[in-house]
Amino acid sequence: MSSSNTGPKENISTSQAAVMVINYMLGAGILTLPRTTAEAVRTPDAWISIIVSGLIVLAAGWILVSLCKRFQGKTWFQFVPEITGKWIAFLLSLLVIGYFMIIAASEIRILAEVTGLFLLEGTPIWAIVLPFMWIGLYLTLGGINCIARLYEIILPITLVFLVLALLLSSKIFDADNLKPVLGSGIMPVLRGIKPTLLSFTGYEIMLVATAFMKFPKKATRAVITGISVPVVIYTFTVVMVIGGMSINGVEKRTWPTLDLMRSFEVQGLLFERFESLLLVIWIMQIFSTFTVTLYAASLGWSQILNRKFRTFVFALLPVMFLIAMIPKDVTEAFKLGDTVGYASVFLFGVIPLILLLVSLVRKKGAKPN
Amino acid sequence: MNRLIRQSLRIIAAMLLVLNTGCWSSQEIEDLSIVVGLGLDVANESKFERDIAKQGGAYPKRNVLTATVQIVPPISGRGQRQGQGQGQSQGGSSGGKAYLNEKLTGDSIFQIYRQFSVRRDRPLVGHHLKVIVVASDLAKQYSLEQIFDFILRDNDIRPSCLVVVSHRDAIEALSSSEPGEIPAFYLTGLVNNRYRSNKILPPVTLIKLDSTMQSGTSFLLQNVVTYNGEHKFSGAAIFKGSSKKWIGELTQFDVEGLSWIRGDIHGGVLKAYAPGGYTVTYEMRDSSSKIIPKVKDGEISFHIKMKSEGRLIEDWSFPEIPSTEGYLKEMEKVFEKQASKQIDQVLHKMQHVYHVDVGGFDKELQIKHPKLWKKIKDQWDDTFSRIPITYEIDIKITDAGSSTD
C-alpha cells in the first residue's frame, strides 16, 4: 500500500536510517541545550544529565523499534489500526502527524530567530524562511531515498565542523569550571533529565523509517547508533560550553553554544571567528529536521486518508509556515518547542510501550525473528 | 506554444538567480563606522554638547556617564576637524591619527549609541569592538552589572571583547600620542605580553566578566594608567563581589604576588638584592601552585604550595662571583624571600585591607568541600579575611644563562 503512495522501490540502508535519526535529533536544541540543562541542574554536572537521559532515550528507542519490527514494511499510520482498531488508531496518527507538523514549524521559527539575530539582521523573516521551505519541499518530493542520501552528505560535514569549532574553543576551556563532580549529590543531575530529554526527540522517525528499511531486522542497530552519536555530540558540547563559560555564565546566555564561539578569536587561521561556521552547519541540521518532519507528516496524511503523497507535501507547507508564525516572540517559540517536546515523551516513550504490550497480548504482528 | 512557455519559464528562473545572491540587508563596509574601542567615564559633557544644548538640541536625560567610541579608520579631514572642534585632549596635533574618538553623555548606553546616528552619517557597528575601558571613578559609583547590562545583551558585541579599568579617564586610555597607533588594538596587544611579564593579569573578556559577576565572587580587572597619550598596564582594580563596584587597586607588586598564588605565570622577572647589596634577577620559566584547603572541626585553613623553575639571568656582583652550585642555592633562598614578600603583601591586602578573595581560594574550597561551601558562600569575603593561610615556595634555578661567571 505504501508503494502506491510514495513510488516503487523505496528502501534505505541501515546506516541511512541511523543517519536520519542523527540528523533529526541534532536540530535547534544544540544552541540552547547547555542553558536549559544548566538552568535546571545549576551545578557543573549538567553533562551527566545528558548521558543519563541519553540512556533513557536509548531504552525508549529500543522499545519503539521493537514495536515497529513486528509490522514489517508498515509505518505507524498503517500498523496501529491492527493493534487498537480504526478509531483509536486514527486519533493516535493524528497526534503524531500534528506533532511532526509542530516540530517542523518550531524549527523554522527558531531558524528565523537566530539568523535574524546573528546573521541576517534586517532581512524579513519570510525572506529567510520561504526559500528555506521551498528547498525543503523540493527535497521532500523526492521521497525518503533522496532525503537519506542528502543526509549522508550533511552529516559528516556537520560532525567535522562542529567538533573542529568546539575543539578550537579549548582556548578558553578551564577544567575547574566542571568541578566539583557531583558536589551537591545526585539530585541536580536528576533535575536536569527533564529538559535534556527534549533535545533527544528524533528517534520517532523510526516509526516511519523502519518500514522502508532494506533489512528491518537491523532497525535496532540503526536506532541505537542514531541515538548514541547525538548523545556523544551533546555531551561534548555541554562539556566544552560549561568548561569555557562556567555554569554561571551559561545560565544567563540565550544562545550559549553560539556565545562560546563568539567568546574567542583565533589569529593566524583562515578565519578568526567561528560562529558563522557553527551557524552554517546548524542551519543544515535545522533543514534536515524540517524536511524529515515534513516528509513524515505528509506521509502520515497520505496514508491515513489514502491520498497522493505529493498533494500533502504542498498542502502542509503553508500550514507549517502559519504555525511557525504563531509564537509572538522567542520565549513563546521556545515554549512551543518545549511543549511538543514534552508531548513527545508521552507519545513516543509511553504509547509505544503500551502498544507493544497490547500487540504482544493480542498476538498482533509478526515476531521480529 | 508549449515550448515558448517552457523557454520563457527557463529564462525567468535564470533571472531569479540574480536576485538570489544573498545580499538582502547588506551594508557596505565603507559606509559603516567600525567601533573598536569603547570608553565609559563619569559624565563630563563636551563643549559640543553644551553648545548644542544651548541651541535647544538636548533631549531629556540625566548625566550619568560619558561614552567614548573609538572609530577606525577616521574619515580623512573630518576626523581632524571634529577633534579640534571638540577641543578634547586627543593626543598631539600631528595629523597622522589612525582613529577617531567621539564622546557623548547620557544615562543609557544604548541611547548614547543610537544618538551617534543623529550625529554621524555612518552608523556605528559593534561587531569589531576589541576593548572596553571603564573609568574607575564610574565603577565606584555604579555597579558593573548596571554599566555592562546593555553590552552583555547586545547581539553585535562579541563576548570575546576585553575589559580593562582605567585609573583616570577612559577617554585618555583610548587616546594616543603616537601617530598611526590605534589605542584599542594597542591595549589588546598588551595582554599578549603575558609570557614576558607576570604583572599582567589573565585577560578578562566580556564572557568571563559575565560569568564571574553571576557567580558573585570578587574579581580583578586589569588596570591601565595613562599620561599624556601614553599608557601602561599597572596593577589591578578590585571589584567587590556583592556590589560589583570598584573598591580599590592592587599594585604591580601585588599582582606579581598574586601570580605566584594562582600559579599562572607564563614568564616574568623577579628581582632581589643579594646579601651583599647587589642586584640579582631571576627569570621564571615555569611555575605552578596548589591551593590546599583544609577543614578541621569546621575551621578552614589554606596551605599554598608554589614551585617555580627558571634561570639566574642577571647578577651585579662585583667582583663577579662565579655561579657555582652553592652560590645558586644561596640565590634561590634570596629569591624565595623576595617572592614571599610579594605574597605576604598581597595576602595582607586581600585579607585585611580590602576583605576580598581574588586569589581563587573560593574555587578550591568549592571543589574540595562543596557542602561546606554552600553554607558559607554568601559571606565568603568576610569569612576569608579571618582564615589562616600558610604557604611554602620552592624556587629552583635550573641554569645560569649562557655565561656562568
Side-chain angles (χ1 to χ4, degrees):
Chain A
M1 191 176 124
S2 72
S3 54
S4 67
N5 288 326
T6 55
K9 282 176 283 171
E10 279 201 313
N11 53 42
I12 53 174
S13 69
T14 314
S15 62
Q16 278 178 327
V19 167
M20 277 179 89
V21 175
I22 299 170
N23 272 318
Y24 184 3
M25 258 188 200
L26 298 176
I30 199 150
L31 293 191
T32 49
L33 178 67
R35 173 173 52 78
T36 49
T37 325
E39 273 173 350
V41 180
R42 303 187 68 88
T43 69
D45 303 322
W47 57 278
I48 305 179
S49 302
I50 307 263
I51 296 178
V52 173
S53 35
L55 293 176
I56 296 174
V57 171
L58 270 177
W62 181 75
I63 291 170
L64 189 139
V65 166
S66 309
L67 175 68
C68 292
K69 273 159 74 176
R70 295 180 66 84
F71 303 91
Q72 288 192 4
K74 285 182 181 168
T75 68
W76 167 269
F77 311 107
Q78 293 163 329
F79 69 66
V80 176
E82 291 183 28
I83 306 172
T84 62
K86 211 174 161 193
W87 290 108
I88 298 178
F90 188 72
L91 187 71
L92 282 178
S93 295
L94 275 188
L95 280 177
V96 171
I97 291 170
Y99 166 82
F100 280 131
M101 287 171 64
I102 297 176
I103 287 278
S106 70
E107 295 285 323
I108 281 183
R109 180 56 185 261
I110 300 288
L111 168 95
E113 293 291 341
V114 175
T115 42
L117 190 64
F118 290 107
L119 276 184
L120 308 168
E121 209 171 357
T123 313
I125 277 193
W126 61 263
I128 300 171
V129 160
L130 287 189
F132 183 89
M133 293 180 79
W134 289 333
I135 299 169
L137 171 95
Y138 177 62
L139 176 68
T140 311
L141 285 177
I144 197 160
N145 265 33
C146 297
I147 294 178
R149 276 203 302 272
L150 182 79
Y151 289 4
E152 278 180 311
I153 301 170
I154 289 180
L155 185 66
I157 303 176
T158 307
L159 293 185
V160 167
F161 281 124
L162 185 66
V163 170
L164 184 78
L166 285 172
L167 282 180
L168 283 170
S169 82
S170 60
K171 230 183 133 177
I172 55 167
F173 182 84
D174 182 359
D176 275 352
N177 286 336
L178 289 166
K179 293 182 202 165
V181 176
L182 292 178
S184 315
I186 196 84
M187 269 318 285
V189 174
L190 297 182
R191 264 182 280 140
I193 289 178
K194 203 172 127 186
T196 45
L197 274 180
L198 299 190
S199 52
F200 285 111
T201 56
Y203 61 90
E204 61 268 19
I205 195 58
M206 291 306 284
L207 291 177
V208 175
T210 316
F212 295 98
M213 285 181 72
K214 228 179 276 170
F215 309 105
K217 275 180 199 159
K218 291 188 179 163
T220 318
R221 193 185 294 174
V223 81
I224 285 174
T225 327
I227 294 171
S228 308
V229 173
V231 171
V232 174
I233 295 278
Y234 281 158
T235 313
F236 186 52
T237 309
V238 169
V239 164
M240 292 311 278
V241 172
I242 294 179
M245 297 168 40
S246 91
I247 197 85
N248 296 302
V250 173
E251 264 178 71
K252 297 286 175 248
R253 311 301 299 187
T254 317
W255 311 99
T257 313
L258 211 51
D259 275 340
L260 178 78
M261 295 301 143
R262 282 154 47 83
S263 297
F264 65 93
E265 285 171 25
V266 182
Q267 261 139 35
L269 265 163
L270 193 56
F271 302 107
E272 269 188 19
R273 307 178 162 190
F274 291 87
E275 68 263 27
S276 343
L277 192 69
L278 182 76
L279 276 179
V280 168
I281 56 168
W282 178 78
I283 288 171
M284 292 199 291
Q285 285 307 318
I286 297 260
F287 181 73
S288 48
T289 308
F290 169 68
T291 44
V292 81
T293 42
L294 174 63
Y295 174 80
S298 314
L299 189 73
W301 280 119
S302 87
Q303 290 186 338
I304 61 171
L305 298 179
N306 220 346
R307 294 282 194 289
K308 260 179 95 181
F309 169 73
R310 294 171 67 93
T311 327
F312 290 103
V313 186
F314 280 102
L316 286 186
L317 216 58
V319 181
M320 283 174 178
F321 181 75
L322 290 179
I323 299 176
M325 293 305 129
I326 290 175
K328 286 194 197 74
D329 50 40
V330 192
T331 329
E332 281 192 16
F334 281 143
K335 258 192 212 142
L336 179 71
D338 285 356
T339 317
V340 281
Y342 288 126
S344 88
V345 175
F346 176 70
L347 266 181
F348 307 115
V350 181
I351 291 187
L353 182 63
I354 299 172
L355 289 185
L356 182 64
L357 293 177
V358 172
S359 71
L360 283 172
V361 171
R362 297 178 63 180
K363 299 205 168 56
K364 299 283 179 181
K367 273 194 189 144
N369 294 314
Chain B
M1 188 62 198
N2 203 356
R3 219 177 126 202
L4 194 71
I5 290 174
R6 215 182 288 167
Q7 287 272 344
S8 47
L9 271 178
R10 247 178 230 160
I11 291 169
I12 291 172
M15 273 158 65
L16 273 175
L17 280 178
V18 178
L19 300 174
N20 246 338
T21 46
C23 295
W24 187 292
S25 43
S26 65
Q27 288 169 308
E28 295 305 322
I29 195 159
E30 293 88 352
D31 297 337
L32 297 172
S33 293
I34 296 167
V35 181
V36 292
L38 172 68
L40 300 168
D41 277 309
V42 186
N44 174 24
E45 283 194 311
S46 64
K47 226 170 138 191
F48 166 82
E49 282 177 284
R50 280 196 297 268
D51 203 61
I52 288 291
K54 268 185 218 150
Q55 300 172 37
Y59 63 96
K61 65 174 185 201
R62 285 175 297 147
N63 285 341
V64 169
L65 55 81
T66 298
T68 309
V69 290
Q70 181 154 93
I71 296 161
V72 288
I75 301 102
S76 55
R78 191 166 168 191
Q80 195 60 25
R81 205 188 67 225
Q82 284 193 340
Q84 287 166 357
Q86 286 178 34
Q88 295 155 6
S89 61
Q90 288 190 346
S93 54
S94 57
K97 256 196 295 162
Y99 64 92
L100 169 70
N101 277 351
E102 283 228 336
K103 60 176 200 171
L104 280 178
T105 306
D107 49 1
S108 144
I109 298 181
F110 185 64
Q111 193 179 33
I112 296 172
Y113 246 71
R114 287 296 193 249
Q115 200 64 20
F116 281 109
S117 326
V118 294
R119 215 163 117 41
R120 299 188 58 82
D121 57 340
R122 301 175 183 207
L124 300 182
V125 289
H127 294 104
H128 295 269
L129 187 60
K130 295 277 180 208
V131 62
I132 298 172
V133 187
V134 186
S136 53
D137 283 336
L138 182 69
K140 262 180 233 173
Q141 294 174 22
Y142 295 96
S143 160
L144 282 191
E145 250 172 18
Q146 299 171 304
I147 300 172
F148 278 87
D149 192 74
F150 155 69
I151 295 162
L152 288 170
R153 279 173 202 256
D154 190 62
N155 58 343
D156 281 358
I157 298 172
R158 287 169 61 91
S160 62
C161 174
L162 180 74
V163 184
V164 297
V165 172
S166 66
H167 183 76
R168 294 220 298 232
D169 287 348
I171 189 165
E172 263 186 68
L174 284 174
S175 310
S176 167
S177 53
E178 207 161 306
E181 187 178 73
I182 298 166
F185 293 166
Y186 170 86
L187 289 175
T188 33
L190 269 183
V191 177
N192 296 334
N193 290 347
R194 285 199 72 224
Y195 74 106
R196 285 297 172 88
S197 169
N198 58 336
K199 292 178 177 179
I200 301 173
L201 287 179
V204 178
T205 55
L206 273 179
I207 190 73
K208 242 179 160 180
L209 180 71
D210 188 28
S211 52
T212 322
M213 288 201 299
Q214 298 291 350
S215 74
T217 57
S218 300
F219 55 97
L220 297 177
L221 288 177
Q222 181 66 54
N223 195 39
V224 184
V225 290
T226 49
Y227 168 72
N228 212 358
E230 291 186 62
H231 337 82
K232 179 185 169 187
F233 272 9
S234 172
I238 312 170
F239 288 83
K240 185 87 177 164
S242 47
S243 65
K244 278 96 183 166
K245 282 184 184 168
W246 187 96
I247 56 162
E249 275 173 7
L250 293 180
T251 63
Q252 299 183 26
F253 198 71
D254 300 326
V255 171
E256 285 177 303
L258 199 66
S259 72
W260 287 107
I261 296 174
R262 286 177 162 179
D264 62 353
I265 300 177
H266 294 275
V269 170
L270 181 67
K271 183 196 71 186
Y273 299 106
Y278 54 87
T279 310
V280 281
T281 313
Y282 168 75
E283 185 187 11
M284 301 144 208
R285 285 257 150 256
D286 192 24
S287 92
S288 66
S289 83
K290 205 165 184 188
I291 299 175
I292 305 158
K294 287 179 188 159
V295 181
K296 223 182 224 172
D297 313 324
E299 292 291 313
I300 309 162
S301 65
F302 286 107
H303 183 72
I304 320 167
K305 274 187 184 167
M306 291 164 276
K307 262 189 204 160
S308 170
E309 283 185 4
R311 68 164 62 115
L312 181 68
I313 196 76
E314 199 172 354
D315 184 343
W316 281 58
S317 58
F318 187 81
E320 184 95 48
I321 304 169
S323 300
T324 58
E325 208 171 308
Y327 179 70
L328 291 181
K329 280 269 170 302
E330 198 184 313
M331 287 304 114
E332 281 174 3
K333 290 279 156 304
V334 171
F335 290 127
E336 277 167 18
K337 220 172 134 193
Q338 179 66 14
S340 303
K341 254 191 214 166
Q342 296 179 334
I343 295 160
D344 284 337
Q345 183 173 324
V346 73
L347 283 178
H348 173 75
K349 278 203 182 165
M350 284 199 283
Q351 291 195 296
H352 303 117
V353 180
Y354 296 112
H355 304 285
V356 288
D357 167 23
V358 290
F361 294 93
D362 51 349
K363 189 71 201 171
E364 292 305 319
L365 191 68
Q366 188 189 348
I367 290 172
K368 297 280 156 56
H369 303 279
K371 291 218 173 86
L372 177 69
W373 169 252
K374 256 194 180 166
K375 271 185 243 157
I376 57 170
K377 72 172 174 189
D378 290 330
Q379 58 280 358
W380 172 243
D381 275 339
D382 289 337
T383 319
F384 172 73
S385 317
R386 291 188 300 270
I387 290 175
I389 299 174
T390 53
Y391 63 86
E392 57 186 82
I393 180 157
D394 178 24
I395 289 180
K396 213 168 145 52
I397 299 175
T398 49
D399 70 307
S402 322
S403 144
T404 48
D405 67 358

